[in-house]
Amino acid sequence: MLDQLKRAAADALAELAAVDAEAELAAWRSRHLGKKSPIKTLLGGLGALDATERPQAGREANLAQRRLQAAFDERRAALERAAHEASLGAEALDVTLPGRLPRRGRLHVSTLILRRIAAVWAEMGFQVYRSRDVETDEYNFQLLNFPPFHPAREMQDTFFTTEPDVILRTHTSPGQIHVMRERCPEPIRVILPGMCYRYEQITARSEIQFNQVEGLAVGPGIRMSDLKGTLTDFARRMFGPDTRTRFRCSHFPFTEPSAEMDIECFLCGGDGCRVCKRAGWLEILGCGMVHPVVLENGGYDPGRYSGFAFGMGPERIAMLRHEIQDIRLFWGNDMRFLEQF
Amino acid sequence: MRVPLGWVRDFVDVELSPAELARQLTFAGLEVEGLEFVGLPLPGDGERPECKVTGFAWDPELVVVGDLLEVEPHPRADRLVLAEVDHGAGVEVTVTGAPNLAAYKGQGPLPVPLKVAVAREGALLLDSAQKEPTPRRLAKAKIRGVESRAMICSEKELGISDRHEGVIVLDADAPPAGTPLADYAGDMVLDLDITPNMVRNASILGVAREIAALTGAELRPPSIEVEAAGPALDGRLEIDIRDPQLNPRFTAMLLEGATTGPSPYWLQQRLLLAGQRPISNVVDVTNYVMLEMGQPLHAFDYDVLVERAGRSGAVAPTIITRRPEPGEKLKTLDDVDRELDDFTVLVADTAGALSLGGIMGGQESEVSDGTTNVLLEAAAWDLYNIRRTTLSQQLSSEAGYRFSRGVHPALAGRANRRAIELMRRLAGGVVAEGMVDARARPLPRTVVELPAAEVERALGVPIAAAEAVRILEALEFGVESAGDLLQVTVPDHRLDIGEGTIGVADLIEEIARIWGYERIPETQISDTIPPQRANPEVELEERARDLLARLGLQEVVTYRLTTPEREARARRPGAPPDERRYVELRNPISADRRVMRHELLPGVLEVAAANARQRDSLALFEIGPVFLPADGEPLPREPRRLAILLAGGREAASWDRQEPPSYDLFDLKGVVEAFAADLQLPPLTAAAGDHPGLHPGRAARLELAGTPIGALGELEPAVRSGYGFPFAAVLAAELDLDRLLEAIPQRFAAVAVSAFPPVVEDLAFEVGEEVAAAAVEQLITVAGGDLLREIELFDLFRGEQLGAGRKSLAYRLTYQAEDRTLTDAEVAGVRRTVVAAVERATGGRLRE
């Protein structure tokens, strides 16, 4: 009997080792663990045994039964694992295929540079003030100390409209008069961003419309040294903490003294390169102390108040930063250009 | 302005290196754009100026002054000559075809050798056959059998000018043969960008004065002594100024018995280096003194004036400066017959107009080769009127350039004396005694009181009074100190210094720029901080941009200038034309940019059409102003608009989805709704409506709380194909951004998330086609009351079961209370109300 038990168990295990499919496994289970399995059958013959052999035979039979169940469980888990792995393998993807790009919206490069400039000035206490594109000759020129037929008007080729004395602003400086007249006698610290227009041929270097950001500080004690300090701070924040600046004498009718601010070329660090045309310096903005006539036109007594003003071209700054060779790209709006920003 | 440094050195000693000179002038406001070296060595790497440097150096050993001893015929070529030249280290025979040597041919040894520029074998010269400067080394050559080891040079070969018709013949007082030519004729030319306020420095003397002030060197102004030996001019010329405002001063001097001919070489070379072509001694002197002192001059043939005076029986000519007679014309030196404006000032005589005052001479009275009696004019003109005239006549001239920026009347007398004496020395003859000087409007001297404290108040740094005085005096201001006050008298060569506070600012700029902007420290503003303000107009616009970009749209920025025709392309055939006025340019630069836009959409459509070639999907927006003239107002309104455009694939095509579904109207509507929701705006209502550019059956007018705020829809097919779009549909919206942003609430309350379970059920209504979905939704929303939390149309169905003209709208309703779990009875009650409301109002029925 014990021999028979051992043989039956050994046969069943050998058979199980060969099973490698779900259906076969079920068949093996009903054959060897079911009611009519060889071990159950042998167990059924237990009563025929001698009473002294019976307990041991019973134990052996139960042991064999448990061993077969354990072997079955293990086999089933192994088969399931194999099947799972096989199915994962079948699901494999070529992960080197390109990803599907989501639809991304972006801001125009001019908006981005305007925001960057505005953000730096905002932290320095200069708030955005906007005024209109279509202006009077009075605000665009006369109140800014350009009388009619003044030679300095030559520097700003103007689009005139069919309405007498109405023009497209050539700079955002009319905003200086607007903001002064609105706020006098408060101190003022504003930047004046906006689109300007010049009567120019559209070429790689010149456009009929372009953004400008002017700035204006007016108060009882604003000095040219403040202008230098403030604009140098701006340059360091805009172009890098080690940026060096220099101020050259220049001329704008609405400031006096007037200056051009250059920054050390951020591409070559001043050694001279293509971008700075070998000079090592880049012309970045015009600036100066607000002309007494302009202060007065804004309502401020030039004997008691002073101020500084500055103006820069965001597109020019973007062109320098990103080595853009052609200003026409800005309003051309080619997606292949805009999507780079 | 091109400034030969050799000429500047007539008036000031210059010790600075070229780089340092360029730097100091640039910082003082005379921007040096370039340095051109003529014959002199170019600066080395360590001494490189920051401006553009060009030029061509002459080898001191090989390019020298030579003595031309004899000119002989070439044995085998009629047009060539053999020129025997002593170059200091020997005599060479050179071969040349220079026409200006032909006259000396066959005369045997010249009694006085001609001074010429000689290049010896091995010298680097510019190839005269090339248009661009091309250096070439002079080699031994055999020209028609005659060997030559040297060459007599033209200006082009030495880079002095592009003249190549003959060889340079130097003045007789040139140094001995063998002297390096660069030592004698080499120079450096500064190319200056003169700002409009600094026209006094569009002159050699002006630049010399600046250098003197910058370096502390002494200024030596040019001599204005005249050797006048002729009969007095008085009585032989009258001057009649009719408009003293426009012509404050007119001076005239007379040179009699002059011989017109070429100018000496030194003068020709200076003119050439300054960018002027030599013409004849008489004309060259007027240009020379204009360049030197900044005062334009004009030379008349006095005999012509006398002859013209004779026509009306007068013996002596009368110069009349006046405005034109009606219809009067003048033929100027540039051969143009000019119609004259009533503000033009003419220089005329009794026989008619002679020249355009201060701008350009007329043909009849100009000096010619035969002129012997020269009347020299130096006058002063109103700068604004000159500029107005040059603009109106579209005429630019050296004189007009200077006068339109302001030339002080005092200069006229000095320049006239300087020029007549120079002309006498160069052309011979006798200067008539005296000057006829009509001072119609004498200019008082400007005196400015400059308090010393003002300098520090403006600049933020104290400048010692003595230093300020030194600077002002170097610039020829008269200065008297009275305690803390400087009494500053403006020199009589400047019109750019004002009076009172303006004059103070003008003087402070002068002090600052010469003292050095670089020496002004950098400080932080320590002034009062202005009152702080909210800036919603700007902040909300930027927020709108961010939200639109977040919705997947690319921002574009288009031209604000367009044409009515371009805007009309965005209107469908048969749509009513846009009859609103435009802001229109009087001087457009091109025909396709001549009015300010009325709409954003046409510009965005153009951008989309241009990009449709590269992109199969576009999602764009633009924010910006449009320009709408208002009746009775000189300035237009400039409301802000928003345009959105969608076209092509809803998503980018990819390797497994070649043709993704295309955008349709409801994608655009979804974008607009999401945008409005993100701005916390109340819901927009859309109703079918007409729009000139949109498909009449696929356009919606949008309203916000009863106010129209724009339209959206599908571009009308004819408009779409007009732009050549390859897409089946182009969706577009144009919204009134100002109104949208104004409607944004200051704040909003968040809605609590209920902890109690929702009840969700679906209701489908069968209604007629004419019933708008929004109407059904509105009925459900109102009837559903507070317990109806969400409503979503999840199916739209048409089919045979419903019959023609019917549709089924299936809604998913979510009921929920904040404070309890809803009972079946409560939900059933709401449902009954909803169904009854929809059925009653639409005539439809609930589908079971």
Side-chain angles (χ1 to χ4, degrees), chain A residues 9-142:
Chain A
D11 286 352
L13 288 174
E15 220 176 289
L16 183 63
V19 166
D20 59 3
E22 195 93 11
E24 282 174 50
L25 191 66
W28 183 92
R29 176 160 130 148
S30 68
R31 211 158 48 240
H32 293 290
L33 293 172
K35 291 198 172 83
K36 291 183 180 151
S37 70
I39 291 176
K40 288 267 168 54
T41 311
L42 285 172
L43 218 53
L46 215 58
L49 285 186
D50 198 81
T52 56
E53 292 180 12
R54 223 181 282 158
Q56 193 195 351
R59 271 198 307 278
E60 289 292 331
N62 283 331
L63 198 64
Q65 181 80 12
R66 278 204 299 280
R67 204 179 297 133
L68 287 189
Q69 181 64 47
F72 170 80
D73 288 346
E74 190 182 311
R75 187 72 194 141
R76 184 167 65 179
L79 281 178
E80 276 172 4
R81 215 161 39 240
H84 182 65
E85 265 154 31
S87 83
L88 288 180
E91 289 168 4
L93 296 177
D94 177 358
V95 297
T96 66
L97 283 167
R100 261 179 236 114
L101 293 178
R103 159 87 64 203
R104 284 164 299 167
R106 290 180 192 79
L107 298 176
H108 192 277
V109 52
S110 288
T111 302
L112 293 171
I113 195 86
L114 278 167
R115 282 190 174 186
R116 195 177 148 80
I117 292 168
V120 171
W121 283 110
E123 289 190 4
M124 292 165 67
F126 287 70
Q127 201 171 32
V128 170
Y129 181 91
R130 293 203 292 206
S131 63
R132 53 177 33 263
D133 288 20
V134 182
E135 264 293 358
T136 57
D137 185 272
E138 184 188 17
Y139 271 81
N140 194 79
F141 288 125
Q142 295 168 41

Side-chain angles (χ1 to χ4, degrees), chain B residues 411-477:
Chain B
L411 267 178
R414 291 201 290 271
N416 209 333
R417 295 170 65 85
R418 170 87 175 151
I420 204 86
E421 174 64 14
L422 187 56
M423 207 177 279
R424 185 192 67 77
R425 279 168 34 211
L426 301 188
V430 180
V431 177
E433 178 75 41
M435 172 193 289
V436 178
D437 185 356
R439 294 178 190 234
R441 185 169 59 90
L443 207 61
R445 281 287 185 120
T446 303
V447 178
V448 181
E449 295 197 336
L450 175 63
E454 281 296 294
V455 178
E456 188 172 358
R457 179 172 89 98
L459 303 180
V461 63
I463 295 178
E467 178 65 358
V469 171
R470 184 204 73 77
I471 289 168
L472 290 172
E473 284 180 344
L475 293 170
E476 299 192 80
F477 288 87

